Amino acid sequence: MYVLNEGDYNDPTGARLSIYDVDRDAVYKDVFELVNSGSHLGSTGDDIKLYRDRAYILMSHSENLVMISLETHQQLRSATFPGSNPREMLIDSIRNKLYVTRTNSGAVFVLDPSTLTIMKSVTVGSNPLGMIIAGNYLFVCNSGYGNDRTVSVIDTRADTLKASLVLSDGPTGAAVAPDGKVWVACSGNAFGTPPTNGKIFIINSTTFASEDSISFSESIWGNIAIGTNGYAYATGIAGFF
């Protein structure tokens, strides 16, 4: 089990990688530093994804992406994206692409996962966070930190904007249900005029129509997950978006 430790925002070397060995019930800390001659990942580790024989580790404050070997944990390649505040990643294993949200730039990078080179940048809404792929479409949650209400739909075959769905304040996370429909969690905006609470929308992944919604009496935040037991899970934060 890989654990990405975010670290203190003000610490330029605060992001650290830990490994929990399930069989040995043992934890190994600062794995990256140990095998990379004391080098550090960067500042504010926000996302990690495993793909084939590699791990991709994203730091938002130092605005860099590091690729390591899963066998040796040595750095294979790195890239820096100044001014974009990269926040979350999604790997398209079918088309062999890596998507990265540019939180400060209102866009999504399309990267080559082998070289980390930018193949394209697609403009979306403000402060994009969570992403999910359903069929040929990438759904991007434009949070606006509570001030945007949209989900951008990108056609992954050409990486072009297909649609912009207007839902509710602060889309932050999305998941695909077993029936192929996309569930989008909207945080609400506790500081809006008037304040708004969280909602979950169920979107048809082919027609992009909203087919149902669930309203909450508090704000919700973060990712949404759908289990094999038929239930969806989201976190609620009373009084804060």
Side-chain angles (χ1 to χ4, degrees):
M1 178 186 296
Y2 289 87
V3 180
L4 177 60
N5 306 286
E6 184 181 59
D8 192 310
Y9 182 81
N10 295 313
D11 184 351
T13 64
R16 301 300 173 97
L17 183 66
S18 301
I19 293 178
Y20 172 56
D21 188 321
V22 178
D23 293 332
R24 295 181 174 86
D25 191 26
V27 176
Y28 304 93
K29 299 180 180 179
D30 299 338
V31 173
F32 184 82
E33 285 77 5
L34 289 172
V35 299
N36 288 279
S37 303
S39 297
H40 300 287
L41 289 167
S43 175
T44 318
D46 273 311
D47 202 1
I48 179 172
K49 291 290 186 292
L50 310 184
Y51 180 48
R52 296 178 177 171
D53 59 349
R54 301 167 183 176
Y56 299 83
I57 307 170
L58 187 67
M59 276 60 61
S60 62
H61 192 199
S62 51
E63 301 185 313
N64 67 309
L65 173 61
V66 174
M67 177 172 65
I68 67 171
S69 163
L70 286 179
E71 181 179 0
T72 66
H73 303 120
Q74 291 180 325
Q75 179 175 304
L76 301 175
R77 197 174 294 272
S78 66
T80 303
F81 312 108
S84 62
N85 190 231
R87 186 70 176 273
E88 297 196 26
M89 295 181 291
L90 185 67
I91 293 173
D92 183 349
S93 59
I94 295 176
R95 287 160 282 264
N96 192 38
K97 290 185 287 191
L98 175 62
Y99 292 95
V100 177
T101 57
R102 303 174 62 191
T103 309
N104 285 351
S105 305
V108 172
F109 275 140
V110 187
L111 304 181
D112 182 328
S114 298
T115 63
L116 304 186
T117 55
I118 301 171
M119 298 189 294
K120 199 167 186 178
S121 180
V122 184
T123 299
V124 293
S126 62
N127 307 117
L129 290 177
M131 299 178 287
I132 198 70
I133 290 178
N136 292 318
Y137 300 106
L138 174 71
F139 292 77
V140 183
C141 297
N142 303 311
S143 73
Y145 297 128
N147 292 312
D148 200 325
R149 301 170 60 87
T150 64
V151 170
S152 298
V153 182
I154 296 173
D155 189 329
T156 58
R157 293 164 293 189
D159 290 320
T160 54
L161 189 64
K162 177 73 173 181
S164 181
L165 316 180
V166 179
L167 301 180
S168 187
D169 292 343
T172 55
V176 179
D179 60 3
K181 295 179 181 178
V182 176
W183 288 50
V184 177
C186 297
S187 66
N189 188 346
F191 303 111
T193 307
T196 56
N197 294 325
K199 295 187 75 172
I200 290 176
F201 289 84
I202 302 173
I203 307 298
N204 186 303
S205 59
T206 302
T207 65
F208 312 139
S210 175
E211 296 187 346
D212 204 351
S213 64
I214 306 167
S215 298
F216 295 85
S217 59
E218 61 181 17
S219 299
I220 59 177
W221 180 256
N223 291 326
I224 180 172
I226 298 179
T228 55
N229 58 0
Y231 287 94
Y233 299 87
T235 52
I237 306 177
F240 188 72
F241 73 83

